[in-house]
Amino acid sequence: MKNKKINLNMICIWLLAALYIIMPQYFSFEISASFPSFTASRMIIIFCFCVVFFQMFKKKEFTIPNLGEYKVLYYFAAIIILANIFHMGTGFSYSVKAILAVILENLLLVFLMYFLVDTREKVHLFIRIFVWTSVVVAVIAFIEFFTSVNLFYFLTTTDRTAFQAAYVRLGMTRAEASFGHPVYYGVYCTCILPFSMYLYESLNQKRYLIITAINLAAIVASGTRGSMLIAGVLLLVMFVCKSKEAQKKYYVPISIGAVSCLALILFVPAVRNYVFEMIKTIMNAFGLGLEITNDFGGTLYEYIGKSKALE
């Protein structure tokens, strides 16, 4: 019986670390238009909660995370819930959806992390799963970037409106993976970087340095300039804050990465044009006023959307 409990807990950790964040909103089913759709992510939360609650019931130990440790989150959730209760008279359906979303996606997630990821070993396992999952997502994103085919769209199971926006920039599709928009995917890849670098530093395994490079490439594929800028600043700060001795082990990987990027830019014209135009728009944000090609974006974005994905 004890082994079954451990296995269930490990299944929950794998579900939360690998699938909870990346499951698309259009992979869902709905009971009523008045309630939020039951997305795969929400079903994962409900399943994990049932596992934890059943174990607590058997042990007769019913506790919640300490208020002091999660005070800000509790206050935030309470404000959102009270605000939606106040506005129920003007938009009952929307308010109910918002309240359920806060309960399922904020409070329950903290509750589950508190009970499931409760040791240093489990935290380390959670981070490793989280980081390796990004590699799978990146492969699908690269396929989308070069072929305009998003494999995640084949998970569409609902007729309810879901965010599926594929933008074409300079003849290449901005990768969005399962996140509905390239900007969201860029943010996801940026969030992976500190964790992959942490694993590289703590385990001294070069595979995690490669994963960092993969996610940097995925950020470029998403065409998200804000994420590119933040990722660059983040890695620069992490590098500068290290001792000179610790910096030395990054000289070779940085050199290899720079040469690889240079070769790709020199020998693949489409990539060269794409990267240069992205750099110019970032520099223009600081007032340089460089000339941008006419088909860079703006009104010439092409919205592919849901219908094409299902053809």
Side-chain angles (χ1 to χ4, degrees):
M1 183 64 69
K2 184 176 181 181
N3 290 334
K4 290 183 179 179
K5 289 181 181 179
I6 294 174
N7 289 338
L8 279 176
N9 285 346
M10 294 306 297
I11 289 173
C12 289
I13 290 175
W14 274 85
L15 287 173
L16 290 172
L19 299 180
Y20 172 72
I21 294 177
I22 70 168
M23 284 292 99
Q25 289 187 344
Y26 41 84
F27 187 35
S28 63
F29 71 92
E30 56 181 296
I31 298 176
S32 169
S34 300
F35 291 90
S37 58
F38 277 84
T39 63
S41 295
R42 287 171 180 163
M43 286 187 276
I44 288 172
I45 289 288
I46 293 172
F47 170 78
C48 294
F49 174 76
C50 291
V51 170
V52 172
F53 182 82
F54 177 73
Q55 292 181 2
M56 292 174 63
F57 180 80
K58 292 198 70 174
K59 295 179 181 178
K60 297 182 179 180
E61 296 178 357
F62 295 94
T63 58
I64 61 174
N66 186 279
L67 178 61
E69 297 177 359
Y70 302 94
K71 186 184 298 183
V72 175
L73 179 61
Y74 287 149
Y75 288 160
F76 168 77
I79 291 171
I80 297 298
I81 292 173
L82 289 173
N84 280 281
I85 291 175
F86 180 78
H87 288 287
M88 272 188 174
T90 57
F92 179 80
S93 175
Y94 177 82
S95 296
V96 170
K97 292 177 183 178
I99 291 172
L100 289 177
V102 169
I103 293 173
L104 285 175
E105 296 173 5
N106 295 121
L107 296 179
L108 277 187
L109 180 60
V110 171
F111 175 86
L112 292 172
M113 294 294 288
Y114 181 84
F115 284 99
L116 291 172
V117 191
D118 56 351
T119 65
R120 187 180 183 85
E121 290 75 19
K122 289 180 181 178
V123 170
H124 211 265
L125 173 64
F126 191 96
I127 293 174
R128 291 206 310 274
I129 298 169
F130 181 60
V131 167
W132 277 103
T133 300
S134 72
V135 178
V136 178
V137 178
V139 170
I140 297 174
F142 292 143
I143 292 173
E144 178 188 8
F145 180 67
F146 288 108
T147 68
S148 298
V149 176
N150 189 339
L151 299 179
F152 280 108
Y153 281 5
F154 291 101
L155 294 178
T156 303
T157 57
T158 180
D159 293 327
R160 181 177 290 191
T161 301
F163 212 21
Q164 292 179 329
Y167 293 102
V168 173
R169 172 174 285 169
L170 298 170
M172 307 189 80
T173 302
R174 294 176 62 187
E176 57 161 298
S178 63
F179 293 86
H181 196 286
V183 170
Y184 301 154
Y185 179 53
V187 171
Y188 166 78
C189 292
T190 305
C191 291
I192 293 291
L193 300 180
F195 294 103
S196 60
M197 289 304 298
Y198 162 76
L199 290 175
Y200 173 65
E201 291 284 349
S202 60
L203 301 177
N204 197 28
Q205 295 178 350
K206 289 183 174 58
R207 67 188 69 174
Y208 294 109
L209 205 57
I210 295 173
I211 292 176
T212 300
I214 289 173
N215 278 282
L216 286 172
I219 293 173
V220 175
S222 75
T224 308
R225 289 162 288 178
S227 293
M228 293 180 196
L229 187 60
I230 293 172
V233 172
L234 176 65
L235 293 177
L236 179 62
V237 170
M238 292 171 66
F239 179 78
V240 170
C241 289
K242 297 183 182 302
S243 65
K244 290 186 178 181
E245 189 65 30
Q247 289 177 355
K248 290 181 180 178
K249 72 175 182 178
Y250 288 98
Y251 291 163
V252 172
I254 291 174
S255 300
I256 293 174
V259 171
S260 300
C261 290
L262 183 61
L264 191 63
I265 291 172
L266 288 175
F267 297 107
V268 184
V271 174
R272 178 171 64 247
N273 187 37
Y274 184 85
V275 172
F276 281 174
E277 293 300 322
M278 292 294 297
I279 293 174
K280 284 195 287 186
T281 59
I282 293 175
M283 296 175 71
N284 282 349
F286 295 95
L288 268 69
L290 300 175
E291 184 179 352
I292 305 297
T293 184
N294 289 331
D295 63 345
F296 177 79
T299 58
L300 296 179
Y301 274 139
E302 177 185 346
Y303 175 68
I304 297 176
K306 186 173 182 178
S307 59
K308 184 174 181 179
L310 299 178
E311 289 179 357

CSV table of all heavy atoms in Angstrom, one decimal, residues 7-60:
chain,number,residue,atom,x,y,z
A,7,ASN,N,3.9,5.9,-5.7
A,7,ASN,CA,3.7,5.9,-7.2
A,7,ASN,C,2.7,6.9,-7.6
A,7,ASN,O,2.9,7.7,-8.6
A,7,ASN,CB,3.3,4.5,-7.7
A,7,ASN,CG,4.4,3.5,-7.6
A,7,ASN,OD1,5.6,3.9,-7.6
A,7,ASN,ND2,4.1,2.2,-7.6
A,8,LEU,N,1.6,7.0,-6.9
A,8,LEU,CA,0.6,8.1,-7.2
A,8,LEU,C,1.2,9.5,-7.0
A,8,LEU,O,0.9,10.3,-7.9
A,8,LEU,CB,-0.6,7.9,-6.3
A,8,LEU,CG,-1.6,6.8,-6.7
A,8,LEU,CD1,-2.8,6.7,-5.7
A,8,LEU,CD2,-2.2,7.1,-8.1
A,9,ASN,N,1.9,9.7,-6.0
A,9,ASN,CA,2.5,11.0,-5.8
A,9,ASN,C,3.5,11.3,-6.9
A,9,ASN,O,3.5,12.4,-7.4
A,9,ASN,CB,3.3,11.0,-4.5
A,9,ASN,CG,2.3,11.1,-3.3
A,9,ASN,OD1,1.1,11.5,-3.5
A,9,ASN,ND2,2.8,10.9,-2.1
A,10,MET,N,4.3,10.3,-7.4
A,10,MET,CA,5.2,10.5,-8.4
A,10,MET,C,4.5,10.8,-9.7
A,10,MET,O,4.9,11.6,-10.6
A,10,MET,CB,6.2,9.3,-8.6
A,10,MET,CG,7.1,9.1,-7.4
A,10,MET,SD,8.0,10.6,-6.9
A,10,MET,CE,9.0,10.8,-8.4
A,11,ILE,N,3.4,10.1,-10.0
A,11,ILE,CA,2.6,10.4,-11.2
A,11,ILE,C,2.1,11.8,-11.2
A,11,ILE,O,2.2,12.5,-12.2
A,11,ILE,CB,1.4,9.4,-11.2
A,11,ILE,CG1,1.9,8.0,-11.6
A,11,ILE,CG2,0.4,9.9,-12.3
A,11,ILE,CD1,0.8,6.9,-11.5
A,12,CYS,N,1.7,12.3,-10.0
A,12,CYS,CA,1.2,13.7,-9.9
A,12,CYS,C,2.3,14.7,-10.2
A,12,CYS,O,2.1,15.7,-10.8
A,12,CYS,CB,0.6,13.9,-8.5
A,12,CYS,SG,-1.0,13.1,-8.2
A,13,ILE,N,3.5,14.4,-9.6
A,13,ILE,CA,4.6,15.3,-9.9
A,13,ILE,C,5.0,15.3,-11.3
A,13,ILE,O,5.2,16.4,-11.9
A,13,ILE,CB,5.9,14.8,-9.1
A,13,ILE,CG1,5.6,15.1,-7.6
A,13,ILE,CG2,7.1,15.5,-9.5
A,13,ILE,CD1,6.7,14.5,-6.6
A,14,TRP,N,5.0,14.2,-12.0
A,14,TRP,CA,5.2,14.2,-13.5
A,14,TRP,C,4.2,14.9,-14.2
A,14,TRP,O,4.5,15.7,-15.2
A,14,TRP,CB,5.3,12.7,-13.9
A,14,TRP,CG,6.7,12.1,-13.8
A,14,TRP,CD1,7.2,11.5,-12.6
A,14,TRP,CD2,7.7,12.1,-14.7
A,14,TRP,NE1,8.5,11.1,-12.9
A,14,TRP,CE2,8.9,11.5,-14.1
A,14,TRP,CE3,7.8,12.5,-16.1
A,14,TRP,CZ2,10.0,11.2,-14.8
A,14,TRP,CZ3,9.0,12.3,-16.7
A,14,TRP,CH2,10.1,11.7,-16.1
A,15,LEU,N,2.9,14.7,-13.9
A,15,LEU,CA,1.8,15.4,-14.6
A,15,LEU,C,2.0,16.9,-14.4
A,15,LEU,O,1.8,17.7,-15.4
A,15,LEU,CB,0.5,15.0,-14.0
A,15,LEU,CG,0.0,13.6,-14.4
A,15,LEU,CD1,-1.3,13.2,-13.7
A,15,LEU,CD2,-0.2,13.5,-15.9
A,16,LEU,N,2.2,17.4,-13.2
A,16,LEU,CA,2.4,18.8,-12.9
A,16,LEU,C,3.6,19.4,-13.6
A,16,LEU,O,3.5,20.5,-14.2
A,16,LEU,CB,2.4,19.1,-11.4
A,16,LEU,CG,1.1,18.9,-10.7
A,16,LEU,CD1,1.3,19.0,-9.2
A,16,LEU,CD2,0.0,19.8,-11.1
A,17,ALA,N,4.7,18.7,-13.5
A,17,ALA,CA,6.0,19.3,-14.1
A,17,ALA,C,6.0,19.2,-15.6
A,17,ALA,O,6.5,20.1,-16.2
A,17,ALA,CB,7.1,18.5,-13.5
A,18,ALA,N,5.5,18.1,-16.2
A,18,ALA,CA,5.6,17.9,-17.6
A,18,ALA,C,4.4,18.5,-18.4
A,18,ALA,O,4.6,19.0,-19.5
A,18,ALA,CB,5.8,16.4,-17.9
A,19,LEU,N,3.2,18.3,-17.9
A,19,LEU,CA,2.0,18.5,-18.8
A,19,LEU,C,1.2,19.7,-18.4
A,19,LEU,O,0.6,20.4,-19.2
A,19,LEU,CB,1.1,17.3,-18.8
A,19,LEU,CG,1.8,16.0,-19.4
A,19,LEU,CD1,0.8,14.9,-19.4
A,19,LEU,CD2,2.2,16.3,-20.8
A,20,TYR,N,1.2,20.1,-17.1
A,20,TYR,CA,0.3,21.1,-16.6
A,20,TYR,C,0.4,22.4,-17.4
A,20,TYR,O,-0.5,23.0,-17.8
A,20,TYR,CB,0.4,21.3,-15.1
A,20,TYR,CG,-0.4,22.5,-14.6
A,20,TYR,CD1,-1.8,22.4,-14.5
A,20,TYR,CD2,0.3,23.7,-14.2
A,20,TYR,CE1,-2.5,23.5,-14.1
A,20,TYR,CE2,-0.5,24.8,-13.8
A,20,TYR,CZ,-1.9,24.7,-13.7
A,20,TYR,OH,-2.6,25.8,-13.3
A,21,ILE,N,1.7,22.9,-17.5
A,21,ILE,CA,1.9,24.2,-18.1
A,21,ILE,C,1.8,24.1,-19.6
A,21,ILE,O,1.3,25.1,-20.2
A,21,ILE,CB,3.3,24.7,-17.8
A,21,ILE,CG1,3.5,24.9,-16.3
A,21,ILE,CG2,3.7,25.9,-18.5
A,21,ILE,CD1,4.8,25.3,-15.8
A,22,ILE,N,2.1,23.0,-20.3
A,22,ILE,CA,2.1,23.0,-21.8
A,22,ILE,C,0.8,22.6,-22.4
A,22,ILE,O,0.7,22.8,-23.6
A,22,ILE,CB,3.3,22.2,-22.3
A,22,ILE,CG1,3.0,20.7,-22.0
A,22,ILE,CG2,4.6,22.6,-21.6
A,22,ILE,CD1,3.9,19.7,-22.8
A,23,MET,N,-0.1,22.1,-21.7
A,23,MET,CA,-1.3,21.6,-22.3
A,23,MET,C,-2.1,22.8,-22.8
A,23,MET,O,-2.4,23.8,-22.1
A,23,MET,CB,-2.2,20.8,-21.3
A,23,MET,CG,-1.7,19.4,-21.0
A,23,MET,SD,-1.9,18.3,-22.5
A,23,MET,CE,-0.3,18.3,-23.2
A,24,PRO,N,-2.5,22.8,-24.1
A,24,PRO,CA,-3.3,23.9,-24.7
A,24,PRO,C,-4.7,24.0,-24.2
A,24,PRO,O,-5.3,23.0,-23.8
A,24,PRO,CB,-3.2,23.6,-26.2
A,24,PRO,CG,-3.1,22.1,-26.3
A,24,PRO,CD,-2.3,21.7,-25.1
A,25,GLN,N,-5.2,25.2,-24.3
A,25,GLN,CA,-6.6,25.5,-23.8
A,25,GLN,C,-7.6,24.8,-24.7
A,25,GLN,O,-8.7,24.4,-24.2
A,25,GLN,CB,-6.9,27.0,-23.8
A,25,GLN,CG,-6.2,27.7,-22.6
A,25,GLN,CD,-6.6,29.1,-22.5
A,25,GLN,OE1,-7.3,29.7,-23.4
A,25,GLN,NE2,-6.3,29.8,-21.4
A,26,TYR,N,-7.3,24.6,-26.0
A,26,TYR,CA,-8.2,23.9,-26.9
A,26,TYR,C,-8.3,22.4,-26.7
A,26,TYR,O,-9.1,21.8,-27.4
A,26,TYR,CB,-7.9,24.3,-28.3
A,26,TYR,CG,-6.5,24.3,-28.7
A,26,TYR,CD1,-5.8,23.2,-29.1
A,26,TYR,CD2,-5.7,25.5,-28.7
A,26,TYR,CE1,-4.5,23.2,-29.4
A,26,TYR,CE2,-4.4,25.5,-29.0
A,26,TYR,CZ,-3.8,24.4,-29.4
A,26,TYR,OH,-2.4,24.4,-29.7
A,27,PHE,N,-7.5,21.9,-25.9
A,27,PHE,CA,-7.5,20.4,-25.5
A,27,PHE,C,-8.4,20.3,-24.3
A,27,PHE,O,-7.9,20.3,-23.2
A,27,PHE,CB,-6.1,19.9,-25.3
A,27,PHE,CG,-6.1,18.4,-25.1
A,27,PHE,CD1,-7.0,17.5,-25.8
A,27,PHE,CD2,-5.2,17.8,-24.3
A,27,PHE,CE1,-6.9,16.2,-25.6
A,27,PHE,CE2,-5.1,16.5,-24.1
A,27,PHE,CZ,-6.0,15.6,-24.7
A,28,SER,N,-9.7,20.3,-24.5
A,28,SER,CA,-10.6,20.4,-23.4
A,28,SER,C,-12.0,19.9,-23.8
A,28,SER,O,-12.3,19.6,-24.9
A,28,SER,CB,-10.7,21.9,-22.9
A,28,SER,OG,-11.3,22.7,-23.9
A,29,PHE,N,-12.9,19.9,-22.8
A,29,PHE,CA,-14.3,19.7,-23.0
A,29,PHE,C,-15.1,20.6,-22.1
A,29,PHE,O,-14.6,21.1,-21.1
A,29,PHE,CB,-14.7,18.2,-22.8
A,29,PHE,CG,-14.7,17.8,-21.4
A,29,PHE,CD1,-15.9,17.8,-20.6
A,29,PHE,CD2,-13.6,17.3,-20.8
A,29,PHE,CE1,-15.9,17.4,-19.3
A,29,PHE,CE2,-13.5,16.9,-19.4
A,29,PHE,CZ,-14.7,16.9,-18.7
A,30,GLU,N,-16.4,20.8,-22.5
A,30,GLU,CA,-17.2,21.7,-21.7
A,30,GLU,C,-18.5,21.1,-21.3
A,30,GLU,O,-19.1,20.2,-22.0
A,30,GLU,CB,-17.5,23.0,-22.5
A,30,GLU,CG,-18.1,22.8,-23.8
A,30,GLU,CD,-18.3,24.1,-24.5
A,30,GLU,OE1,-19.1,25.0,-24.0
A,30,GLU,OE2,-17.8,24.3,-25.6
A,31,ILE,N,-19.0,21.4,-20.1
A,31,ILE,CA,-20.2,21.0,-19.5
A,31,ILE,C,-21.3,22.0,-19.8
A,31,ILE,O,-22.4,21.6,-20.2
A,31,ILE,CB,-20.1,20.7,-18.0
A,31,ILE,CG1,-19.1,19.7,-17.7
A,31,ILE,CG2,-21.5,20.3,-17.4
A,31,ILE,CD1,-18.8,19.4,-16.2
A,32,SER,N,-21.0,23.2,-19.6
A,32,SER,CA,-22.0,24.3,-19.8
A,32,SER,C,-21.3,25.6,-20.2
A,32,SER,O,-20.1,25.8,-19.8
A,32,SER,CB,-22.8,24.5,-18.6
A,32,SER,OG,-23.6,25.7,-18.7
A,33,ALA,N,-22.0,26.4,-21.0
A,33,ALA,CA,-21.4,27.7,-21.4
A,33,ALA,C,-21.2,28.6,-20.2
A,33,ALA,O,-20.4,29.6,-20.2
A,33,ALA,CB,-22.3,28.4,-22.4
A,34,SER,N,-21.9,28.3,-19.0
A,34,SER,CA,-21.8,29.2,-17.8
A,34,SER,C,-20.5,28.8,-17.0
A,34,SER,O,-20.2,29.6,-16.1
A,34,SER,CB,-23.0,29.0,-17.0
A,34,SER,OG,-24.2,29.4,-17.7
A,35,PHE,N,-19.9,27.7,-17.3
A,35,PHE,CA,-18.7,27.3,-16.5
A,35,PHE,C,-17.5,27.3,-17.4
A,35,PHE,O,-17.5,27.2,-18.6
A,35,PHE,CB,-18.9,25.9,-16.0
A,35,PHE,CG,-20.0,25.9,-14.9
A,35,PHE,CD1,-21.3,25.7,-15.2
A,35,PHE,CD2,-19.6,26.1,-13.6
A,35,PHE,CE1,-22.3,25.6,-14.2
A,35,PHE,CE2,-20.6,26.1,-12.6
A,35,PHE,CZ,-21.9,25.9,-12.9
A,36,PRO,N,-16.3,27.4,-16.8
A,36,PRO,CA,-15.1,27.3,-17.6
A,36,PRO,C,-14.9,26.0,-18.2
A,36,PRO,O,-15.4,25.0,-17.7
A,36,PRO,CB,-14.0,27.5,-16.5
A,36,PRO,CG,-14.6,28.2,-15.4
A,36,PRO,CD,-16.0,27.7,-15.4
A,37,SER,N,-14.3,25.9,-19.4
A,37,SER,CA,-14.1,24.6,-20.0
A,37,SER,C,-13.1,23.8,-19.2
A,37,SER,O,-12.2,24.3,-18.5
A,37,SER,CB,-13.5,24.8,-21.4
A,37,SER,OG,-12.3,25.5,-21.4
A,38,PHE,N,-13.3,22.5,-19.2
A,38,PHE,CA,-12.4,21.6,-18.5
A,38,PHE,C,-11.2,21.3,-19.3
A,38,PHE,O,-11.2,20.3,-20.1
A,38,PHE,CB,-13.1,20.3,-18.0
A,38,PHE,CG,-14.0,20.5,-16.8
A,38,PHE,CD1,-15.2,21.0,-16.9
A,38,PHE,CD2,-13.4,20.1,-15.6
A,38,PHE,CE1,-16.0,21.1,-15.7
A,38,PHE,CE2,-14.2,20.3,-14.4
A,38,PHE,CZ,-15.5,20.8,-14.5
A,39,THR,N,-10.2,22.1,-19.2
A,39,THR,CA,-9.0,21.9,-20.0
A,39,THR,C,-8.2,20.7,-19.4
A,39,THR,O,-8.4,20.3,-18.3
A,39,THR,CB,-8.1,23.1,-20.0
A,39,THR,OG1,-7.7,23.4,-18.7
A,39,THR,CG2,-8.9,24.3,-20.6
A,40,ALA,N,-7.3,20.2,-20.2
A,40,ALA,CA,-6.4,19.1,-19.7
A,40,ALA,C,-5.6,19.5,-18.5
A,40,ALA,O,-5.5,18.8,-17.5
A,40,ALA,CB,-5.4,18.7,-20.8
A,41,SER,N,-5.2,20.8,-18.4
A,41,SER,CA,-4.5,21.3,-17.3
A,41,SER,C,-5.3,21.3,-16.0
A,41,SER,O,-4.9,20.9,-14.9
A,41,SER,CB,-4.0,22.7,-17.6
A,41,SER,OG,-3.0,22.7,-18.6
A,42,ARG,N,-6.6,21.7,-16.2
A,42,ARG,CA,-7.5,21.7,-15.0
A,42,ARG,C,-7.8,20.3,-14.6
A,42,ARG,O,-8.0,20.1,-13.4
A,42,ARG,CB,-8.7,22.5,-15.4
A,42,ARG,CG,-8.5,24.0,-15.4
A,42,ARG,CD,-9.7,24.8,-16.0
A,42,ARG,NE,-9.4,26.2,-16.0
A,42,ARG,CZ,-10.1,27.1,-16.7
A,42,ARG,NH1,-11.1,26.7,-17.5
A,42,ARG,NH2,-9.8,28.4,-16.7
A,43,MET,N,-7.9,19.4,-15.5
A,43,MET,CA,-8.2,18.0,-15.1
A,43,MET,C,-7.0,17.4,-14.4
A,43,MET,O,-7.2,16.6,-13.5
A,43,MET,CB,-8.5,17.2,-16.4
A,43,MET,CG,-9.9,17.5,-16.9
A,43,MET,SD,-10.4,16.4,-18.2
A,43,MET,CE,-9.7,17.2,-19.6
A,44,ILE,N,-5.8,17.8,-14.7
A,44,ILE,CA,-4.6,17.4,-14.0
A,44,ILE,C,-4.6,17.9,-12.6
A,44,ILE,O,-4.3,17.1,-11.6
A,44,ILE,CB,-3.3,17.9,-14.7
A,44,ILE,CG1,-3.1,17.1,-16.0
A,44,ILE,CG2,-2.1,17.7,-13.8
A,44,ILE,CD1,-2.0,17.7,-16.9
A,45,ILE,N,-5.0,19.1,-12.4
A,45,ILE,CA,-5.1,19.7,-11.1
A,45,ILE,C,-6.2,19.0,-10.2
A,45,ILE,O,-5.9,18.6,-9.1
A,45,ILE,CB,-5.5,21.2,-11.1
A,45,ILE,CG1,-4.4,22.0,-11.7
A,45,ILE,CG2,-6.0,21.7,-9.8
A,45,ILE,CD1,-3.2,22.2,-10.7
A,46,ILE,N,-7.3,18.7,-10.8
A,46,ILE,CA,-8.4,18.0,-10.1
A,46,ILE,C,-7.9,16.6,-9.7
A,46,ILE,O,-8.2,16.1,-8.6
A,46,ILE,CB,-9.6,17.9,-11.0
A,46,ILE,CG1,-10.2,19.3,-11.1
A,46,ILE,CG2,-10.7,17.0,-10.3
A,46,ILE,CD1,-11.4,19.4,-12.1
A,47,PHE,N,-7.3,15.9,-10.7
A,47,PHE,CA,-6.8,14.5,-10.4
A,47,PHE,C,-5.8,14.5,-9.2
A,47,PHE,O,-5.9,13.7,-8.3
A,47,PHE,CB,-6.2,13.9,-11.6
A,47,PHE,CG,-5.4,12.6,-11.4
A,47,PHE,CD1,-6.1,11.4,-11.2
A,47,PHE,CD2,-4.0,12.6,-11.3
A,47,PHE,CE1,-5.4,10.2,-11.0
A,47,PHE,CE2,-3.4,11.4,-11.0
A,47,PHE,CZ,-4.1,10.2,-10.9
A,48,CYS,N,-4.8,15.4,-9.3
A,48,CYS,CA,-3.8,15.5,-8.2
A,48,CYS,C,-4.4,15.9,-6.9
A,48,CYS,O,-4.0,15.3,-5.9
A,48,CYS,CB,-2.7,16.5,-8.6
A,48,CYS,SG,-1.7,16.0,-10.1
A,49,PHE,N,-5.4,16.7,-6.9
A,49,PHE,CA,-6.1,17.1,-5.7
A,49,PHE,C,-6.8,15.9,-5.1
A,49,PHE,O,-6.7,15.7,-3.8
A,49,PHE,CB,-7.1,18.2,-5.9
A,49,PHE,CG,-7.9,18.6,-4.7
A,49,PHE,CD1,-7.4,19.3,-3.7
A,49,PHE,CD2,-9.2,18.1,-4.6
A,49,PHE,CE1,-8.1,19.6,-2.5
A,49,PHE,CE2,-10.0,18.4,-3.5
A,49,PHE,CZ,-9.4,19.2,-2.5
A,50,CYS,N,-7.4,15.1,-5.9
A,50,CYS,CA,-8.1,13.9,-5.4
A,50,CYS,C,-7.1,12.9,-4.8
A,50,CYS,O,-7.4,12.3,-3.7
A,50,CYS,CB,-8.9,13.2,-6.5
A,50,CYS,SG,-10.3,14.1,-7.1
A,51,VAL,N,-6.0,12.8,-5.4
A,51,VAL,CA,-4.9,11.9,-4.8
A,51,VAL,C,-4.5,12.4,-3.4
A,51,VAL,O,-4.4,11.6,-2.5
A,51,VAL,CB,-3.7,11.8,-5.8
A,51,VAL,CG1,-2.5,11.1,-5.1
A,51,VAL,CG2,-4.1,11.1,-7.0
A,52,VAL,N,-4.2,13.7,-3.3
A,52,VAL,CA,-3.7,14.3,-2.1
A,52,VAL,C,-4.8,14.2,-1.0
A,52,VAL,O,-4.6,13.9,0.1
A,52,VAL,CB,-3.2,15.7,-2.3
A,52,VAL,CG1,-2.9,16.4,-1.0
A,52,VAL,CG2,-2.0,15.8,-3.2
A,53,PHE,N,-6.0,14.6,-1.4
A,53,PHE,CA,-7.1,14.6,-0.5
A,53,PHE,C,-7.4,13.2,0.1
A,53,PHE,O,-7.7,13.0,1.3
A,53,PHE,CB,-8.4,15.2,-1.1
A,53,PHE,CG,-9.6,15.2,-0.2
A,53,PHE,CD1,-9.7,16.3,0.7
A,53,PHE,CD2,-10.6,14.3,-0.2
A,53,PHE,CE1,-10.8,16.4,1.5
A,53,PHE,CE2,-11.6,14.3,0.7
A,53,PHE,CZ,-11.7,15.4,1.5
A,54,PHE,N,-7.3,12.2,-0.8
A,54,PHE,CA,-7.6,10.8,-0.4
A,54,PHE,C,-6.5,10.4,0.7
A,54,PHE,O,-6.8,9.7,1.7
A,54,PHE,CB,-7.6,9.9,-1.6
A,54,PHE,CG,-7.8,8.4,-1.2
A,54,PHE,CD1,-9.0,7.9,-0.8
A,54,PHE,CD2,-6.7,7.5,-1.3
A,54,PHE,CE1,-9.2,6.6,-0.5
A,54,PHE,CE2,-6.8,6.2,-1.0
A,54,PHE,CZ,-8.1,5.7,-0.6
A,55,GLN,N,-5.3,10.7,0.4
A,55,GLN,CA,-4.2,10.4,1.3
A,55,GLN,C,-4.4,11.1,2.7
A,55,GLN,O,-4.2,10.5,3.7
A,55,GLN,CB,-2.9,10.7,0.7
A,55,GLN,CG,-2.5,9.8,-0.5
A,55,GLN,CD,-1.2,10.2,-1.1
A,55,GLN,OE1,-0.4,11.0,-0.6
A,55,GLN,NE2,-0.8,9.5,-2.1
A,56,MET,N,-4.8,12.4,2.6
A,56,MET,CA,-5.0,13.1,3.8
A,56,MET,C,-6.2,12.5,4.6
A,56,MET,O,-6.2,12.5,5.9
A,56,MET,CB,-5.3,14.6,3.5
A,56,MET,CG,-4.1,15.3,3.0
A,56,MET,SD,-4.5,17.0,2.4
A,56,MET,CE,-5.0,17.7,4.0
A,57,PHE,N,-7.2,12.1,3.9
A,57,PHE,CA,-8.4,11.5,4.5
A,57,PHE,C,-8.1,10.2,5.2
A,57,PHE,O,-8.5,10.0,6.4
A,57,PHE,CB,-9.5,11.3,3.5
A,57,PHE,CG,-10.7,10.7,4.0
A,57,PHE,CD1,-11.7,11.4,4.6
A,57,PHE,CD2,-11.0,9.3,3.9
A,57,PHE,CE1,-12.9,10.9,5.1
A,57,PHE,CE2,-12.1,8.7,4.4
A,57,PHE,CZ,-13.1,9.5,5.0
A,58,LYS,N,-7.2,9.4,4.6
A,58,LYS,CA,-6.8,8.1,5.3
A,58,LYS,C,-6.0,8.4,6.5
A,58,LYS,O,-6.1,7.7,7.5
A,58,LYS,CB,-6.1,7.3,4.3
A,58,LYS,CG,-6.9,6.8,3.1
A,58,LYS,CD,-6.3,5.6,2.4
A,58,LYS,CE,-6.3,4.4,3.3
A,58,LYS,NZ,-5.8,3.2,2.6
A,59,LYS,N,-5.1,9.4,6.4
A,59,LYS,CA,-4.3,9.8,7.6
A,59,LYS,C,-5.0,10.6,8.6
A,59,LYS,O,-4.5,10.8,9.7
A,59,LYS,CB,-3.0,10.5,7.1
A,59,LYS,CG,-2.1,9.7,6.3
A,59,LYS,CD,-0.9,10.5,5.8
A,59,LYS,CE,0.0,9.7,5.0
A,59,LYS,NZ,1.2,10.6,4.5
A,60,LYS,N,-6.2,11.2,8.2
A,60,LYS,CA,-7.0,12.1,9.0
A,60,LYS,C,-6.2,13.3,9.4
A,60,LYS,O,-6.2,13.8,10.6
A,60,LYS,CB,-7.5,11.4,10.3
A,60,LYS,CG,-8.5,10.2,10.0
A,60,LYS,CD,-9.0,9.6,11.2
A,60,LYS,CE,-10.0,8.4,10.9
A,60,LYS,NZ,-10.5,7.8,12.1
